[in-house]
């Protein structure tokens, strides 16, 4: 991509793009973020579930007070360690967002990426410009069929 998706996603060299692509980019960005947060939160949820299992089975009752304190401290440390990946979750960047739209849409020729591209060579050549404009129009038409799927649970 010569220009990159900055125009769609608010970059420095923003150029006018369709509201359709902007809406798709917002949904794709949120889906990617939810997937990343879910993966990062899974260990913390498991630690919490294990703590509840121990509590509901009454396993704490069989321990002396020092053992209960040690158990709670160990669970607290395990939870803190399990929460650390959530703090390190990276927000999806523009390329990931556009790639997600193209992947979810399963349309030929990556219309979302094409809509954010710029003509790199042949700017002065009228034939190149005409061909590029035709390519952009076809991508815009295909973009009307594009979609951004909901987050995947895997």
């Amino acid at each position: 991509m010569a220009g990159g998706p900055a125009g769609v996603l608010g970059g420095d060299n923003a150029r006018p793009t369709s509201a359709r692509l902007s809406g798709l980019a917002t949904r794709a960005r949120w889906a990617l973020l939810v997937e990343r947060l879910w993966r990062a939160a899974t260990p913390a949820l498991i630690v919490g579930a294990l703590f509840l299992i121990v509590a509901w089975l009454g396993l704490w009752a069989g321990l002396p007070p020092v053992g209960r304190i040690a158990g709670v401290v160990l669970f607290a440390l395990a939870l803190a360690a399990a929460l650390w990946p959530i703090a390190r979750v990276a927000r999806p960047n523009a390329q990931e967002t556009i790639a997600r739209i193209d992947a979810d849409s399963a349309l030929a020729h990556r219309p979302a990426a094409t809509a954010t591209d710029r003509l790199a060579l042949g700017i002065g050549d009228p034939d190149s410009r005409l061909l590029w404009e035709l390519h952009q129009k076809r991508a815009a038409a295909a973009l009307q069929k594009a979609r951004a799927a909901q987050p995947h649970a895997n």
Side-chain angles (χ1 to χ4, degrees):
M1 286 190 311
V8 176
L9 304 172
D12 296 342
N13 55 354
R15 61 188 175 113
T17 57
S18 71
R20 170 97 174 126
L21 185 57
S22 295
L24 288 170
T26 299
R27 287 193 296 276
R29 188 179 311 108
W30 277 107
L32 286 166
L33 186 61
V34 167
E35 289 172 1
R36 290 175 183 184
L37 286 171
W38 179 251
R39 284 186 203 109
T42 301
L45 294 172
I46 291 170
V47 170
L50 288 173
F51 180 82
L52 289 176
I53 289 169
V54 168
W56 286 339
L57 290 176
L59 299 178
W60 298 118
L63 293 175
V66 173
R68 290 180 197 155
I69 292 171
V72 170
V73 168
L74 287 176
F75 269 110
L77 290 173
L79 182 62
L83 287 173
W84 179 249
I86 294 173
R88 299 187 66 219
V89 169
R91 293 176 52 189
N93 65 33
Q95 277 91 9
E96 293 168 329
T97 302
I98 295 299
R100 172 65 179 257
I101 294 168
D102 285 331
D104 287 348
S105 300
L107 297 171
H109 307 296
R110 304 177 313 128
T114 300
T116 61
D117 278 348
R118 286 186 288 178
L119 182 60
L121 298 173
I123 294 173
D125 181 24
D127 291 334
S128 294
R129 297 222 22 105
L130 185 64
L131 185 59
W132 180 252
E133 289 171 11
L134 176 63
H135 178 58
Q136 289 288 312
K137 285 179 186 176
R138 288 181 179 168
L143 195 56
Q144 296 306 313
K145 300 174 191 167
R147 66 186 196 91
Q150 294 181 350
H152 306 294
N154 53 1

